Amino acid sequence: MIIASNFKTNHNRVSTKEFVDFINSQHFFSEVRIYPPFTAFDDFDLTPNIRVGAQNFYPVEKGSFTGEIGFEQLQEFDIDTLLIGHSERRHILGESQESICEKYNFAKSKECEIVYCVGEPKEIREQGIESVMSYIWSQFDGIDIDYDDLVVAYEPVWAIGTGLSASLEDIQEVLDALRLKIKAPLLYGGSVKVETTKDILCIENCDGVLVGTASWDKNSFSKMIEIADNFKEQV
Ligand code: PEP
């Protein structure tokens, strides 16, 4: 199971260190990922199943790209897991499929783990599963789905940060369809809470969760990881 926390634009350097140290002291079996803001990167002393990654980056080693963060800057903090295609970057920050592909190919060339996010907006969901899947497959245009270090996160746009999670049936339907072509671990994201984690992890083809809001509290995030650990022992 993979349990990932996306801090988005939350936490500072001190609170991130506290959070990471707390999670790191818990001894979990699950694979844990934490994506803090760039300014909170630090020299973390992590156990191997816990990794800190970047929410974004500019696909260059280094160069003249004012305001951006290149790979050389990430390497300074041993960052080797990256979020790509998050809906807030696609829909709020206007990232095109073309620039997402550039990032994907760059991350792949650096052999980083890629957590690749896909998901439909509300108006597409309202048209039914066929439209949902054709929208989601279009988000794989130019993406090598056979990349070894890929994790796919299904995150419906209307469920992110809204408190409205997709139903278990909706999640299962999409994950089942993705599983027909994709071997990589499949996560669900979209208003996951401590109370909903177990049911979501019980979905066949669900290999974990990517969590925003409910993960920003270290105790809640640690409970989610504990649920994943217990779940693993039961199956
Ligand atoms: C996310 O940002 O990936 C996310 C799923 O956010 P939230 O849990 O707040 O919906």
Side-chain angles (χ1 to χ4, degrees):
M1 287 284 171
I2 301 171
I3 308 294
S5 171
N6 176 11
F7 280 14
K8 311 190 191 195
T9 321
N10 297 283
H11 278 294
N12 56 34
R13 197 171 177 203
V14 172
S15 64
T16 298
K17 177 119 181 64
E18 238 176 68
F19 185 106
V20 172
D21 287 348
F22 176 76
I23 297 299
N24 202 34
S25 67
Q26 309 274 308
H27 306 294
F28 299 113
F29 304 108
S30 296
E31 284 295 319
V32 175
R33 303 289 179 269
I34 300 167
Y35 298 91
F38 292 132
T39 53
F41 287 159
D42 216 326
D43 193 8
F44 302 113
D45 186 14
L46 300 169
T47 51
N49 60 322
I50 303 181
R51 281 153 78 179
V52 168
Q55 299 171 25
N56 185 38
F57 63 99
Y58 198 70
V60 290
E61 200 73 47
K62 60 182 182 175
S64 299
F65 303 96
T66 303
E68 296 293 339
I69 300 284
F71 196 66
E72 190 177 284
Q73 288 84 48
L74 296 182
Q75 273 183 311
E76 192 182 357
F77 297 97
D78 293 327
I79 300 294
D80 60 0
T81 174
L82 305 165
L83 288 185
I84 299 182
H86 191 278
S87 83
E88 284 154 11
R89 297 217 54 88
R90 290 180 192 265
H91 298 283
I92 301 177
L93 294 148
E95 244 176 56
S96 65
Q97 186 62 24
E98 195 185 356
S99 71
I100 287 169
C101 283
E102 260 180 65
K103 290 184 181 185
Y104 191 95
N105 290 332
F106 184 87
K108 197 178 127 184
S109 74
K110 297 294 177 188
E111 299 181 351
C112 288
E113 175 183 71
I114 300 174
V115 178
Y116 186 68
C117 307
V118 295
E120 80 289 356
K122 190 163 178 276
E123 61 277 15
I124 301 291
R125 169 51 65 179
E126 286 166 353
Q127 292 167 19
I129 187 67
E130 269 185 36
S131 302
V132 168
M133 288 318 300
S134 102
Y135 187 92
I136 290 176
W137 288 126
S138 74
Q139 294 181 315
F140 284 101
D141 280 353
I143 297 297
D144 172 13
I145 57 172
D146 295 319
Y147 175 50
D148 275 350
D149 220 349
L150 169 63
V151 175
V152 170
Y154 166 54
E155 300 205 298
V157 179
W158 48 272
I160 296 184
T162 59
L164 273 181
S165 175
S167 70
L168 298 176
E169 294 73 26
D170 287 344
I171 301 170
Q172 171 147 14
E173 199 170 30
V174 172
L175 297 187
D176 284 353
L178 291 173
R179 177 57 77 227
L180 295 176
K181 296 191 195 164
I182 296 175
K183 302 186 292 288
L186 302 175
L187 313 186
Y188 168 74
S191 297
V192 175
K193 300 183 181 68
V194 173
E195 310 81 62
T196 58
T197 303
K198 183 169 180 225
D199 287 345
I200 293 171
L201 294 180
C202 282
I203 295 174
E204 205 191 335
N205 288 322
C206 183
D207 302 303
V209 285
L210 172 55
V211 193
T213 320
S215 71
W216 301 336
D217 173 78
K218 61 182 190 292
N219 294 303
S220 303
F221 189 54
S222 138
K223 278 198 192 112
M224 291 177 176
I225 305 168
E226 206 177 296
I227 292 167
D229 269 21
N230 290 336
F231 179 82
K232 197 176 173 187
E233 278 165 18
Q234 283 162 26
V235 284

